Amino acid sequence: MSFRFLRSIVALSLGCVFCSPAFSATDTASADKIFSQIQPLAASSLVADVVAAGPRLVAVGERGHVLVFDGQWQQVLTPTQAQLTKVFFVDEQRGWAVGHDATILHSQDAGQSWQVQMQSPEIEKPFLDVLFLNAREGMAIGAYGLFYRTTDGGVTWTEEFHEELLAEEDSRYLAELKGSDQQAYLTERASLLPHFNRLLALKDGRLLLVGELGLVAVSEDQGRRFVRTAFEYDGSMFNAIETQDAVYVMGLRGHVFKGDLSLGTWQEIDLPVQSSINGALAISDKALYLVGNAGMVIQLNHDDSSRIVTRRQGENLVAIAKDNQGNVWLSGSQGLFILKP
């Protein structure tokens, strides 16, 4: 798996100085629909994410593939062939999947059927994560600072540009352009922000955003404005997870950092490998499983010790979830399978 591929999978108000007109789900109603194709080997092809939706699992991947698990994996039809990168369920029934071509899909029946809420190939950026705070308020984020918000369950989506996350010199540059050349301003700002890769809701209501170029930022107003934390590593962060009294962020070349809940200080954790870490799952109050490139599954303990659980040669792992029977499922470049330590 190339770095470019990984970057596009896992890699990507006061806080909104420019907002575009809202994108309505009805904008796609008259378009010719292109549906995914049911493939017998879909569960063995690229699967970019897998999550629990009540008692079942839902997984998404290449060519618009969505698979649901109720004792066995079954592919369901979707109204897109765009590669899907992330899926999120706010409850057992209602979920959203996002991906390339600025695609947002919505399900109201635990992943069994899907409707397009947004699809804009002309944006030329993928969504890399989606988060809903409740059934109406959600955000989809992605490459080069792509950030859309809904307050009506996805009926309409509005773009936000988070200038507060720009480097200081880029912010000055954009301000000069905005006053002299509006078209150049819009063109330049489309590529100045780093990729937004992961948006995590912390238990205290804050949001944590991680991404490219060492981006680790926190919001106290539901993502309308972010403030960078005191994070000194400048490599890409692909994921984040909160445990009982700590937050972990993880990413390129095995870099994993642990912070207390103040997010004021970060300590790098030594791992036994340097493979990029893409996903994490709490397996107990005191341990996480981390998954990453080169087929790595690593157990990280509360005392910061770690061990290799297993290594699957020839594939890259991007996500991990647990089913209602307690089985741990992994997904990646060669599909879905149960972890067998």
Side-chain angles (χ1 to χ4, degrees), residues 162-179:
H162 285 273
E163 185 174 343
E164 74 274 14
L165 295 175
L166 284 171
E168 186 175 342
E169 59 271 23
D170 289 334
S171 185
R172 289 197 300 266
Y173 171 58
L174 278 186
E176 292 172 3
L177 280 181
K178 191 174 184 181

Side-chain angles (χ1 to χ4, degrees), residues 251-282:
L252 197 64
R253 301 188 184 95
H255 287 287
V256 175
F257 296 84
K258 179 182 181 180
D260 62 24
L261 296 183
S262 74
L263 306 180
T265 59
W266 297 93
Q267 170 194 352
E268 184 162 10
I269 305 298
D270 289 329
L271 295 185
V273 297
Q274 294 185 340
S275 301
S276 292
I277 304 300
N278 305 316
L281 174 72

Side-chain angles (χ1 to χ4, degrees), residues 13-16 131 133 139 147 149 160 162 164-165 198-210 215-229 261-263:
S13 74
L14 291 176
C16 175
L131 171 69
L133 306 177
M139 290 149 279
F147 195 114
R149 181 187 302 274
E160 297 181 1
H162 285 273
E164 74 274 14
L165 295 175
R198 180 79 165 97
L199 188 59
L200 175 68
L202 300 177
K203 295 173 185 176
D204 63 7
R206 293 177 297 167
L207 301 184
L208 184 69
L209 175 67
V210 304
L215 173 64
V216 180
V218 64
S219 172
E220 296 185 354
D221 58 3
Q222 298 184 332
R224 290 173 175 82
R225 181 174 178 82
F226 289 91
V227 176
R228 287 179 179 264
T229 71
L261 296 183
S262 74
L263 306 180

Side-chain angles (χ1 to χ4, degrees), residues 79-90:
T80 185
Q81 289 185 11
Q83 180 169 303
L84 300 175
T85 56
K86 280 290 182 179
V87 59
F88 178 89
F89 276 79
V90 72

